[in-house]
Amino acid sequence: MRAPIPSLLVAPMAGGPSTPALVIAAGRAGALGLLAAGYKTPEAVEDELRAVRSAGIGYGLNIFVPSRPPSDIAALERYRRLLQAEADRYGVDLPPLRLRDDDHFDAKVDLATAYAPSLVSFTFGVPDRIVVAALQAAGSLVAVTVTSAAEAAPALAVAPDLLIAQAGTAGGHASTTSPAGYRGATTAPEILAAIRSVTDVPVIVAGGAGSAGDVRGLLSAGAAAVQAGTVFLLAEEAGTRPAQRAAMLSAGAHETVVTRAFTGQPARALRNRFTDEYSAVAPVGYPAVHHLTAPIRAAAAEQGDPGALNLWAGTGFAAARPAPAAEIIESLS
């Protein structure tokens, strides 16, 4: 029998912040932490699954659904030429365009089926019904992330146990399947109401929760659970890069923007030099743009320069503070 999930989830934050230590700390404090499978090899994901399973706590796993290859290759080539100045600045070579990347989807689904975490969530699209059914048969609850009522319909067609309603206020990538028109304008209460109006399937809501009042309000409005990520970026157990920690704590961090500049998919981040210079010209094209900017971001991180880093953060980033995850969870309860 599949166990119910707690009312608070620690969001999967790909690219480093989500660690086994953070997930274990969340589980021990009464929340449900999710590992982030995105960008990792299957071997690395299995190492993390083993570590968390050995702790004897409930946990989740998030998997990226493969995107269709970008159609506008000319736009990507133009963007690559623009980014040459950044490559020169950081002394790196730009890779050739990489148009196809399924992020080892099948292998990661196989791992999820074998380890049967409490919750398996999907981002960037809707998995096939056969995938959902296999995970459910293994004992996992399955959730699909959506950003609008229109996106809920195809998600519901594969019979997930839950939907994750992602507000525009959430940090990191938007799970929208319409990236060209996405503006990140919805709040958590708005997206929760919109999704609940079209389904009776339980809804987890994500985006902007940074206080106990935020969590209570969303639960009172009908959320089955609240997923919070940004407020945990400075947790002691998080793998957030030092440059991002410093940027979030600096007096200059005062706003976030939705940008495609780093990956070709809309994502909310702290505003910096890179978002100012490239947001207006960045094409739709995940994951091609992600691979294109990767060496620039890696060099900036190595140099401790936040100006060219993807500083993913939601609108509630000011609520984040350095503390043990258990203490942050207590403050949200």
Side-chain angles (χ1 to χ4, degrees):
M1 181 176 179
R2 291 174 289 167
I5 61 169
S7 60
L8 180 66
L9 278 60
V10 179
M13 295 174 282
S18 288
T19 63
L22 180 61
V23 172
I24 291 169
R28 289 176 175 166
L32 184 80
L34 280 84
L35 294 170
Y39 309 130
K40 296 185 178 83
T41 64
E43 293 76 16
V45 174
E46 185 163 23
D47 286 345
E48 294 193 352
L49 287 167
R50 286 197 191 103
V52 174
R53 186 173 67 175
S54 68
I57 49 92
Y59 65 96
L61 178 71
N62 176 258
I63 299 174
F64 290 172
V65 177
S67 304
R68 294 178 180 176
S71 57
D72 192 345
I73 309 305
L76 293 169
E77 292 284 7
R78 287 194 297 272
Y79 195 51
R80 188 179 186 280
R81 289 193 292 272
L82 284 174
L83 290 175
Q84 187 60 53
E86 296 296 324
D88 294 342
R89 176 195 289 263
Y90 292 102
V92 297
D93 294 325
L94 290 179
L97 289 181
R98 181 177 171 183
L99 302 178
R100 295 181 180 274
D101 179 8
D102 69 357
D103 197 42
H104 309 285
F105 179 77
D106 290 341
K108 290 174 181 178
V109 168
D110 288 345
L111 284 171
T113 305
Y115 281 80
S118 306
L119 176 69
V120 179
S121 67
F122 290 93
T123 301
F124 293 155
V126 180
D128 290 341
R129 171 60 188 146
I130 192 170
V131 169
V132 174
L135 291 166
Q136 291 168 332
S140 298
L141 293 170
V142 177
V144 178
T145 309
V146 299
T147 65
S148 68
E151 290 176 357
L156 291 168
V158 301
D161 300 285
L162 309 108
L163 293 181
I164 299 176
Q166 185 190 38
T169 50
H173 284 110
S175 191
T176 178
T177 53
S178 302
Y182 185 84
R183 298 292 179 267
T186 57
T187 65
E190 289 169 347
I191 191 64
L192 175 62
I195 302 304
R196 291 192 72 230
S197 72
V198 298
T199 182
D200 293 327
V201 169
V203 178
I204 300 166
V205 66
S211 70
D214 294 334
V215 174
R216 282 196 303 270
L218 292 167
L219 293 174
S220 297
V226 175
Q227 180 170 281
T230 297
V231 72
F232 289 97
L233 282 169
L234 299 180
E236 292 177 1
E237 299 88 348
T240 309
R241 293 170 299 199
Q244 173 150 3
R245 288 180 181 267
M248 291 181 67
L249 292 168
S250 74
H254 60 275
E255 68 176 315
T256 61
V257 294
V258 174
T259 180
R260 297 194 299 261
F262 296 106
T263 67
Q265 176 78 4
R268 187 171 289 280
L270 293 178
R271 180 182 175 187
N272 63 3
R273 180 187 63 80
F274 203 91
T275 65
D276 283 351
E277 294 186 15
Y278 297 101
S279 292
V281 295
V284 171
Y286 181 88
V289 176
H290 160 74
H291 292 300
L292 189 58
T293 65
I296 295 168
R297 291 180 281 132
E302 185 176 350
Q303 296 173 28
D305 178 7
L309 289 180
N310 51 304
L311 303 171
W312 301 147
T315 57
F317 70 90
R321 59 190 175 87
E327 187 176 312
I328 298 169
I329 289 167
E330 184 178 2
S331 74
L332 295 172
S333 301

